[in-house]
Amino acid sequence: MTYFAGFILLAGAMLLGAPGSSCADAADRHAVPRARLVREIAAMAAQDQAETGKPSISPRVMEALARVPRHKFVPVEHEQRAYENRPLPIGYGQTISQPYVVALMTDLLQLKPGDRVLEIGTGSGYQAAMLAELTEAVFTIEIIEPLARRAEAMLKNQGYGKVQVKVADGYYGWPEHAPFDAIVVTAAASHVPPPLIQQLKPGGRMVIPLGSAFMTQQLMLVEKDGQGRVLTREILPVSFVPLTGKH
Amino acid sequence: MPAPLVSVGLISAAVLGYQLLLMRLFSIVYWHHFAYMMISLALLGYGVSGTVVALWRERLSRHFPVAFVINAALFGLAQVAAFQVAQRVPFNALEILWDARQPLFLLLLYGLLFVPFFFAGNCICLSFVCCNAATHRLYGADLLGAAGGCLLVMALLFLLPPLSALRVIAALGLLAAAVGAWRLRLGPRLAAVLLALALALPFALPAPVGTPVPNEYKSLSRTLQIGGARVLEERSSPLGLLTVVESPRVPFRHAPGLSLNAAGEPPAQLGVFTDGEGFAALTRFDGDFGKLAYLDMMTSALPYHLLKAPHVLVLGAGSGADVLQALSHEARRVEAIELNAQMVDLVRDRHAGFAGDVYRRPGVQVHVAEARGFVAASQERYDLIQVALLDAFGASSAGLYGLSESYLYTVEALQDYLRHLRPGGLLSITRWVSLPPRDALKLFGTAVVALEHEGVAQPGNRLALVRGWQTVTLLVRNGEFGAEDVARIRAFSDARSFDIEWAPGIAAWETNRFNRLDQPWFHEGATALLGEGRAQFIERYKFNIAPATDDRPYFFNFFRWRTFPEILALKGRGGLPLLELGYPVLVATLGQALLASTLLILLPLRLGRAQPPAVPRTRVFAYFAALGFGFMFIEIAFIQKFTLLLPHPLYAVAVVLCAFLLFAGLGSRYSERLQGGVWRPVLAILPLAASYLLLLPWLLRFAVALPDALKIPLAVVLIAPLAFCMGMPFPRGLAALASHSPSAVPWAYGINACTSVIGAVLATLLAIHLGFSGVIVLAAALYGLAAMAFPNHGGGAVSTITRSGKSDNRSGRNGSGQA
């Protein structure tokens, strides 16, 4: 059953990979590696599902992954590595996360078309592009100005012009556009800024990857329920059980 | 040929200084375990010199004075050049498992750093070959020089920024060349030119940049990318480089693990980085405790909700956050221990205004000391001992250890803390949450064992474990928690959305509620660690969570081989962070060193045209390899053992290393007068090592209460006889070899150099598995083996006792404490 689901996902991703490439660049030599990456991630997600029974990455997220040209969001010297399932440096001591982890994070947000989503830490702009594939209203804040400018230009250039980019301190969120259905905090912080929790809608979801450059240790999902109470879930990207053997 | 004793001493001093300095510099640029790997491999330059001299012995010997002086001068120049070039290699340790080019960059770094050690090794090896009548004195000069170098570099690091210290150490190399030129009669003019060069070197180079540039992924570099962030000042010492940063546009707002229910924003802060990492926040305090309310919203605030006006001992005061927390909770008295005097100075003096004079407030006392020793020696009893969230600052940031040993979180440490609690007092330790749980469960298990050792029948009734989304706090009570205490813990946790993972009477359904995990790992783990199946649980766990002890003080090593393939297979799925890098890096270092050494040792046998030595090569090998390993094992084990006695880890390194080198050097000189093989020194080493093994724990416990002024002489007195004897076998063996098979001398030298390097790495690895006591036992066995293999001509193992020869061990230099 799970393998079957994986297959459908896989086939869907391959189908989507091809037409997606034609709109970006007629002779997109990255289409093939991108499709390969999507297949790889689909297979791993299917394996994870088989092992743990948790739901796989949603088809919409997989479609987005198959469409966004990651190679446009990494520095030129890393273009050839853009479709390897690995984090890459983007300068200024910042990185672009491993695609598998980006897919998981995006999936955790459970975005519906029309949702308002805020991103803290634009970085390369890749995550924002992924979000823009899933919803109309994407707002992203970056503190390092050259990064923000580069990401903004690339987003526009790749047809994600509706993404709003701002150079600012992400701590205070973006009150003018609040409340948000979803928030992603990729910028390092020692705690979750209270203003961001306030700007999350009841029923909204916030995802925070914890870790260091090149290493996403765990994902924290902050959920605000209908009464405004805040609960978190701590999620390992991998299915990993700390005990061997059975009782 | 006159032996260039002074020159050799200077070179050894410079080599040891250079090695410690590189460790310092690369700990700033990279991370310390990579620094350790690079330097260990570079030290094999010594082994290469043995190989090269073995291959071209005759030609080099003919021109000994010139070859010596050229190599010494090149050593001096290469020290600066190698580091400057190395800084341009785009090595990024964090990418090593992602990027196939990174191992090549690393190889390039080894290659660069290896050069100066190679030149220095040439000088010393050639001296042994060409002045073999002076073997004992040469080796003595070598060790004494190294002892001096150790002290010199410690002093330099207090006085100068590390890059300036590098120039001074490099000048020492040129000075050695100048002295050598004069001593080897190459003419006063050459000597004068070299001397002038040595004096000019520290000034002639372009103005030294204050500090090396840290890797762009280190916290400091990343912080400085933010607009408006700037460095206010830097303080450098052997303990680390402190960088004070202000970031007015995007404030630091450091409040690790702050409850999601917290409302306010922390006050303005300055960031204090240690070696570009290890962020500590210096918080503005204007006397208004209302602004510090956020400090009550962290898991570490829990003990203050169970105590009234406590007398607090903060271990690891850092930049003062825990002291502020204590004060804002109306602590009656706060004593704070901080290892780094410069850190204390920053908070107490330099930024006193900003910090609201927190370290001078009534009731606050700050001591510069090593936390563990302070507690052991203290006569006080406290209501609360708070172990701050500073990861083994002393050991790891000093960069002197590959895998950082930490004596803060061992079973014995926890017992010490518990004995210093008043009835009803609390020990509170906060750690980061790692998933699946590692630190927290290891700590919990350590506390259970410590309580059992203290004779507590029901440890579970004295423990509480509270987890936030990022930090976890363990409480251990001197006495059982009552129902009222547990109610308070519940109220505290509920108000902050923290989860109680363990407290007496807590039910499984009450845990894992606010910060939910797939499985209630923490509660299950705590329950298992309190139950009958503890050993089995620890065994089945995929990370090493067996309690650390003083003999195996590796709290931070969670690595298990069994889990390694599973984690690697999860690379694509974001599984790499589960890999604890310290241990594999150590193993990789060892593997590379072994491979390189094997080549270096075999090469002269393949290519060399020299006659085979008069004794079997296996005996020569066994002898010099056993000494290389044995010396390092003992030296490193003793540095560790004495860390607990001496008031500061820097003293442990400086005192123990210097004492070892100094007395081994004296032993070497004395051994010239000795008749017979090396059984006599070895027969002294064996009982000495054995008695220390038995007596040291007891002795250290007794001695810890002595005044500091007595501890250092006591350590020296304990080390002296052992080191004195350990200084004899190497020169005696080398002299014996020189008397019948001079062509084998450089080969033997190379073997000893290689095994010393491997020995330093291996000692740490073995200590992780066997403990330092096991390492000492092994060392004793190696000395026994050496005595049996003594390479005298015509004698078997037994007759060595009666024959005269000359010999001893030279591993001292590499012993420099890089382990």
Side-chain angles (χ1 to χ4, degrees), chain B residues 233-235 240-244 272-274 340 342-343 346:
Chain B
E233 66 186 299
E234 286 178 333
R235 298 279 179 98
L241 172 71
L242 298 181
T243 312
V244 184
V272 186
F273 296 84
T274 303
N340 193 336
Q342 291 182 333
M343 183 70 101
L346 284 177

Side-chain angles (χ1 to χ4, degrees), chain B residues 290-379:
Chain B
K291 291 177 183 160
L292 299 180
Y294 74 101
L295 290 172
D296 188 44
M297 298 300 276
M298 312 208 272
T299 57
S300 56
L302 173 60
Y304 296 105
H305 290 251
L306 303 173
L307 299 165
K308 273 220 160 59
H311 177 189
V312 184
L313 176 69
V314 173
L315 301 182
S319 53
D322 293 78
V323 175
L324 276 181
Q325 190 185 44
L327 290 174
S328 69
H329 286 94
E330 293 163 349
R332 179 172 84 248
R333 248 182 93 188
V334 185
E335 285 182 66
I337 314 304
E338 169 55 43
L339 193 63
N340 193 336
Q342 291 182 333
M343 183 70 101
V344 171
D345 181 59
L346 284 177
V347 183
R348 191 182 51 199
D349 303 308
R350 180 71 181 77
H351 298 284
F354 187 87
D357 259 340
V358 58
Y359 280 178
R360 287 187 203 274
R361 285 181 77 86
V364 176
Q365 246 181 311
V366 182
H367 309 270
V368 175
E370 195 275 317
R372 179 72 190 283
F374 181 89
V375 174
S378 166
Q379 303 295 323

